[in-house]
Amino acid sequence: MTSFPGQRPMHGDMVQLTTDTTSVTITGSITSQGILRDGRGFVELTLPDADPQQRRDLERTTSYQYELYRSSALLYSSPRLILSEARRTKDGSLVVTGSP
């Protein structure tokens, strides 16, 4: 298990995402990556296009935590992250950005 999703992307096939009010398991092509923006470190989680309600639900939360898996093996368990952005990409993927 990795202690921080550095700038090299980690790819998984399942994520367990927990927010202030809900917990959901998402499967498919998932990427977790550390990014630097304006001198601050963030974690960017890219999820497959699934339920359109997901983005709206995530935009309403203030914090979240996730566990990224590949072939049932835990790759990364994030600390509680403060949500800074939830958006869709041009290809429809959901990108969630947060910081500790």
Side-chain angles (χ1 to χ4, degrees), residues 26-27 47-54 88 92-94:
I26 301 168
T27 59
L47 306 166
D49 184 18
D51 181 0
Q53 185 65 36
Q54 285 176 344
R88 291 268 181 207
S93 297
L94 176 60

Side-chain angles (χ1 to χ4, degrees), residues 2-75:
T2 303
S3 61
F4 178 75
Q7 294 181 328
R8 174 175 278 159
M10 283 190 291
H11 301 282
D13 54 21
M14 183 180 80
V15 69
Q16 178 68 39
L17 182 67
T18 305
T19 69
D20 302 331
T21 59
T22 189
S23 181
V24 64
T25 300
I26 301 168
T27 59
S29 179
I30 300 162
T31 304
S32 177
Q33 181 174 2
I35 59 170
L36 193 60
R37 185 183 304 151
D38 298 325
R40 289 186 58 206
F42 292 90
V43 177
E44 194 170 83
L45 180 65
T46 305
L47 306 166
D49 184 18
D51 181 0
Q53 185 65 36
Q54 285 176 344
R55 181 181 50 84
R56 291 186 289 276
D57 289 344
L58 285 167
E59 285 175 336
R60 290 187 207 117
T61 192
T62 57
S63 66
Y64 65 100
Q65 184 272 332
Y66 70 92
E67 294 179 336
L68 178 65
Y69 296 86
R70 181 173 49 225
S71 300
S72 299
L74 180 62
L75 295 177

